[in-house]
Amino acid sequence: MMALLMAMTIPANAETLADETVATAAEVEETTEAAQADHKTKIELPAWVKNIKFSGYGMLQYQGQDPEGNHSNTFKLRLARFILDGKIGDFDWRAQIQGTNATGPGQPTVQLVDLYAEWRKFPEFKVRAGQFKRAFTFENPTHPITQGWRGYADVINKLSAFGDRTGEKSSGGRDIGIQVSGDLFPNANGRKLFHYQIGVYNGEGVNESDKDNRKDIIAGAWVMPIKGVRIGVFGWTGSRGGMLDPLTGEKRSVEKNRYCISAEYDLNEYTFRAEYIHSQGWGAASPGNNVREICYENGDKADGWYVFGIIPLIKSKLHAKARYQTYRNQKDWGTSVNQIECGLNYFFTKNLEMHLEYSHVNDRNLAKHDYNLIDVELDFRF
């Protein structure tokens, strides 16, 4: 009897209603998933953020030398850099922070070295603005690890604004300004045969405003007649402001009139490069330390050159190298520093390498001209 009453109480469409309840739950779940998907779409990162790349490198160094009365050997943290690269539409941008073992007035151990954007829509005409490498010499813009030596050549350091002759603080060859550049005249294979670049800069180095409202103008051009070969010339005219004249006690600007002749072959791990630089304009007593006092004793002309070769002994694994360089602080042999160098570069991986180097130095500014220098570096990228 009870079973009969229960059968009479349950609606005939109870099974259908249960199915509808299940369907409604499924619809709710589907709606929730759609809402979540829509929410994810709304918070998706824009393309320019996705294009940001973080990278960097470090350079660890041991160096020993034996000039008379000034022997030394020490471990150093040569360089560390942290880099952000990105792209927004037709613009590429870079921000780079550097830490070094440099000390002294105007030489912070951590500083902003690159901050620029470049419009790159047309390879024939690119525009870069901000703080970046000056458009002078082949070696200046070379990556410090790829460059392959314990340091850039002396003439690059003194006359291409690393530790500049004018006393400008160590700037890694950089300045604040604007530059146009491009590659022209493709051959039958599409390889461009001519490159040009011209820039206008403050003339004071990194993170410095113009001190005399006179801009430096630097231009360069090179031809590439054969794959791997570049032959170029560069010119630089400008000034450094706020320099103390010890004869008058007044502040004035010193001229920077320079030119460079360059040649390079770089292909299949063979690299050969030679550059000559000439400079006219008074310098400071202490290059690279943000000194602003003219040193007339150093004269108003300087020059220098280098030539080197790096060749593979074992491809992608072991390279041998040799370099000869001269820098003449007063454009005469009595002030020359001459170096003959040789060494090996060993690649554990493409991102980890060791440099070994021996240098015989002939410094005519010292009472005893000749001494020896050894250098070992462990360099890595990430």
Side-chain angles (χ1 to χ4, degrees):
M1 187 68 177
M2 181 64 67
L4 180 60
L5 288 173
M6 290 178 64
M8 292 176 63
T9 304
I10 296 173
N13 63 344
E15 189 174 323
T16 303
L17 288 173
D19 289 342
E20 286 178 356
T21 303
V22 171
T24 301
E27 287 173 2
V28 170
E29 183 177 352
E30 183 178 345
T31 302
T32 302
E33 289 178 352
Q36 290 175 345
D38 183 61
H39 179 64
K40 288 181 181 178
T41 302
K42 288 180 181 178
I43 64 171
E44 186 174 349
L45 295 174
W48 70 268
V49 175
K50 291 182 178 179
N51 287 332
I52 295 176
K53 297 179 180 179
F54 174 71
S55 62
Y57 55 93
M59 306 179 76
L60 312 177
Q61 184 179 50
Y62 168 82
Q63 194 170 96
Q65 53 187 330
D66 63 354
E68 189 173 75
N70 191 27
H71 291 202
S72 67
N73 72 89
T74 185
F75 294 103
K76 298 181 180 181
L77 305 178
R78 178 183 166 190
L79 193 64
R81 285 185 179 161
F82 304 94
I83 307 164
L84 290 175
D85 289 300
K87 186 175 182 63
I88 305 175
D90 295 324
F91 286 83
D92 287 357
W93 61 267
R94 166 170 284 197
Q96 183 172 198
I97 294 175
Q98 170 180 288
T100 74
N101 64 346
T103 57
Q107 290 187 294
T109 54
V110 177
Q111 63 179 338
L112 180 69
V113 289
D114 282 315
L115 183 63
Y116 66 81
E118 184 172 53
W119 183 65
R120 300 176 60 87
K121 185 172 184 179
F122 303 107
E124 299 82 6
F125 184 79
K126 295 174 285 188
V127 182
R128 178 180 292 188
Q131 182 164 282
F132 50 89
K133 288 280 191 177
R134 289 166 161 115
F136 195 69
T137 80
F138 284 166
E139 182 148 317
N140 181 5
T142 307
H143 192 290
I145 296 180
T146 305
Q147 189 262 349
W149 296 91
R150 61 183 171 84
Y152 295 89
D154 279 356
V155 68
I156 298 296
N157 286 325
K158 301 298 193 301
L159 301 181
S160 190
F162 281 73
D164 200 81
R165 167 181 164 83
T166 60
E168 177 184 300
K169 70 179 179 181
S170 181
S171 298
R174 295 168 170 84
D175 204 348
I176 305 172
I178 186 168
Q179 172 187 287
V180 297
S181 65
D183 297 288
L184 306 172
F185 311 128
N187 64 9
N189 297 320
R191 183 174 60 82
K192 304 294 179 62
L193 302 178
F194 180 80
H195 175 88
Y196 73 91
Q197 53 192 40
I198 181 169
V200 180
Y201 310 88
N202 281 341
E204 302 292 341
V206 295
N207 308 317
E208 291 281 346
S209 59
D210 199 329
K211 299 298 188 292
D212 60 2
N213 297 320
R214 296 171 57 188
K215 299 297 182 283
D216 283 18
I217 300 174
I218 305 175
W222 57 82
V223 294
M224 297 165 280
I226 303 170
K227 187 177 181 180
V229 172
R230 295 192 294 170
I231 302 171
V233 293
F234 301 84
W236 180 345
T237 183
S239 64
R240 184 170 189 240
M243 296 288 284
L244 178 65
D245 188 332
L247 301 180
T248 65
E250 298 177 349
K251 290 188 176 180
R252 52 165 288 197
S253 298
V254 294
E255 303 298 320
K256 287 183 286 185
N257 297 308
R258 300 172 180 176
Y259 67 84
C260 176
I261 302 171
S262 309
E264 179 187 74
Y265 175 81
D266 187 5
L267 190 66
N268 297 327
E269 299 184 32
Y270 288 85
T271 304
F272 302 91
R273 186 184 308 133
E275 296 194 280
Y276 171 80
I277 305 176
H278 181 276
S279 175
Q280 182 274 320
W282 301 109
S286 181
N289 285 320
N290 206 22
V291 174
R292 289 191 179 272
E293 182 174 344
I294 301 170
C295 181
Y296 287 112
E297 290 82 1
N298 283 341
D300 74 336
K301 289 184 175 64
D303 71 349
W305 56 88
Y306 72 89
V307 57
F308 77 70
I310 301 176
I311 63 171
L313 299 179
I314 303 174
K315 191 172 178 63
S316 302
K317 202 69 178 175
L318 181 65
H319 291 174
K321 60 185 181 181
R323 177 169 71 173
Y324 173 78
Q325 59 168 313
T326 291
Y327 174 68
R328 304 192 300 177
N329 194 46
Q330 297 180 34
K331 201 185 173 183
D332 62 44
W333 287 104
T335 62
S336 67
V337 179
N338 313 283
Q339 300 184 59
I340 299 174
E341 302 158 273
C342 61
L344 298 170
N345 295 338
Y346 181 78
F347 299 82
F348 298 98
T349 70
K350 68 177 183 179
N351 291 325
L352 179 65
E353 59 192 85
M354 178 172 283
H355 297 179
L356 308 174
E357 188 174 333
Y358 166 78
S359 177
H360 179 76
V361 183
N362 175 261
D363 186 344
R364 304 288 179 85
N365 300 283
L366 301 178
K368 185 176 180 180
H369 301 330
D370 298 305
Y371 65 92
N372 304 292
L373 183 150
I374 59 170
D375 185 90
V376 182
E377 285 189 21
L378 183 64
D379 301 334
F380 58 91
R381 315 183 198 212
F382 55 86

